[in-house]
């Protein structure tokens, strides 16, 4: 009787291990699918919309403004400015949806690279601080955190009218030589803030914040 029980227990442990393995394989396949899709969107955005925008800018620059009256000149300048902004946004996004640094070196290096580029080209100064003890996290966690940062950084650039912003990623529970990578269930804290106008209303047809919430939930946050 006892040996039967042990047998059943063993069977159930085997089953559990098999399920866990399957689950991990599914997660990895899902992440790979997301990665491929993300690269495709970045390439499409860059090649099609990006080049359409640059030929639009080229065409608009060719307009002879000498014959325009003052109002028309103002409209022309405004149009040029909007085109430049849209073009720069597309470039920033397409270059950073899934940058090489992320694939080769992971979240922290990709964020450092992204922030360095923004600080060189934009008026908002970003301050990035990542707990040095954090180490590498699981691929899924890094992917979701990078995606969240990308959207919130874009929101700051688009909406905040800020001059300064902070991104802070830490693991509050880390002590001594504990590395987050060794503790896959460890809590992570990501705080992204800016000194801009702030936002109060929940009514927006934007998808960004909704996606961020879904990503946080997918990480059990
Ligand atoms: N850093 C910020 N400062 C001020 N307002 C913000 C900031 N981030 C978001 N908002 C406001 O919250 C709204 C919702 O943001 P959300 O990212 O969901 O949508 P969106 O950026 O307008 O569009 P999408 O993300 O779909 O391109 C924005 O339209 C904006 O009004
Ligand atoms: Mg947004």
């Amino acid at each position: 009787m006892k040996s039967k029980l042990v047998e059943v227990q063993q069977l159930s442990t085997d089953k559990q291990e098999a399920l866990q393995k399957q689950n991990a394989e599914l997660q990895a396949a899902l992440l790979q699918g997301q990665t491929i899709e993300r690269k495709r969107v970045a390439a499409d955005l860059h090649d099609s919309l990006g080049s359409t925008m640059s030929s639009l800018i080229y065409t608009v620059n060719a307009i002879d403004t000498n014959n325009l009256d003052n109002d028309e000149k103002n409209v022309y300048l405004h149009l040029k400015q909007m085109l430049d902004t849209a073009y720069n946004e597309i470039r920033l996004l397409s270059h950073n949806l899934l940058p090489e640094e992320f694939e080769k070196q992971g979240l922290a290096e990709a964020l450092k690279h992204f922030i360095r580029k923004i600080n060189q080209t934009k008026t908002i100064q970003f301050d990035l601080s990542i707990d040095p003890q954090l180490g590498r996290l699981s691929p899924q966690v890094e992917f979701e955190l990078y995606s969240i940062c990308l959207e919130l950084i874009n929101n700051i650039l688009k909406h905040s009218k800020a001059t300064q912003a902070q991104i802070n990623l830490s693991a509050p529970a880390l002590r001594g030589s504990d590395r987050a990578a060794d503790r896959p269930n460890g809590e992570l804290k990501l705080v992204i803030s800016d000194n801009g106008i702030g936002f109060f209303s929940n009514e927006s047809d934007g998808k960004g914040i909704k996606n961020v919430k879904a990503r946080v939930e997918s990480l059990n946050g």
Side-chain angles (χ1 to χ4, degrees):
M1 181 65 190
K2 200 172 175 192
S3 72
K4 204 80 190 149
L5 207 70
V6 173
E7 229 173 77
V8 172
Q9 255 177 2
Q10 184 58 44
L11 265 177
S12 119
T13 314
D14 289 351
K15 186 116 191 123
Q16 214 175 342
E17 276 170 9
L19 274 175
Q20 270 169 359
K21 194 166 161 258
Q22 258 180 4
N23 199 12
E25 280 168 5
L26 268 174
Q27 286 272 5
L30 193 71
L31 187 66
Q32 205 195 1
Q34 285 172 322
T35 307
I36 292 170
E37 185 60 14
R38 181 77 68 97
K39 274 190 201 159
R40 195 187 59 76
V41 172
D44 279 359
L45 202 59
H46 181 268
D47 298 349
S48 80
L49 205 52
S51 46
T52 307
M53 289 300 299
S54 66
S55 47
L56 251 174
I57 291 173
Y58 186 76
T59 311
V60 167
N61 278 339
I63 293 175
D64 180 3
T65 54
N66 287 325
N67 299 324
L68 300 181
D69 66 28
N70 274 346
D71 280 352
E72 286 168 337
K73 266 191 188 142
N74 280 339
V75 172
Y76 172 82
L77 288 176
H78 191 54
L79 182 69
K80 247 172 76 117
Q81 206 178 29
M82 285 196 299
L83 282 174
D84 279 341
T85 308
Y87 180 60
N88 287 332
E89 267 182 31
I90 291 167
R91 275 191 57 129
L92 193 73
L93 254 185
S94 64
H95 288 190
N96 294 289
L97 271 179
L98 198 75
E100 256 177 46
E101 291 76 23
F102 181 81
E103 292 204 276
K104 286 194 188 137
Q105 295 165 285
L107 176 70
E109 288 308 314
L111 280 177
K112 277 184 206 162
H113 186 80
F114 187 33
I115 294 302
R116 209 177 306 130
K117 267 200 294 192
I118 294 179
N119 283 345
Q120 278 165 4
T121 52
K122 305 273 172 186
T123 46
I124 305 178
Q125 283 300 302
F126 281 79
D127 176 55
L128 173 70
S129 96
I130 300 180
D131 193 332
Q133 289 208 302
L134 211 56
R136 292 296 301 270
L137 304 162
S138 81
Q140 183 71 30
V141 172
E142 292 208 348
F143 185 82
E144 299 300 354
L145 286 179
Y146 183 74
S147 308
I148 291 170
C149 289
L150 199 61
E151 171 57 25
L152 296 181
I153 291 168
N154 259 302
N155 271 358
I156 292 176
L157 293 173
K158 275 200 296 186
H159 307 296
S160 75
K161 299 192 165 55
T163 54
Q164 280 176 347
Q166 283 88 31
I167 301 168
N168 195 309
L169 179 62
S170 59
L174 279 185
R175 296 269 181 281
S177 62
D178 262 1
R179 286 180 348 116
D182 303 330
R183 303 164 54 254
N185 297 322
E187 186 190 332
L188 296 168
K189 187 171 170 189
L190 174 65
V191 181
I192 300 186
S193 56
D194 64 65
N195 67 350
I197 55 172
F199 60 109
F200 311 99
S201 160
N202 285 328
E203 286 163 31
S204 155
D205 58 357
K207 279 185 76 150
I209 298 286
K210 286 179 199 137
N211 288 346
V212 168
K213 282 186 181 152
R215 289 185 194 284
V216 171
E217 275 163 22
S218 82
L219 298 175
N220 302 321

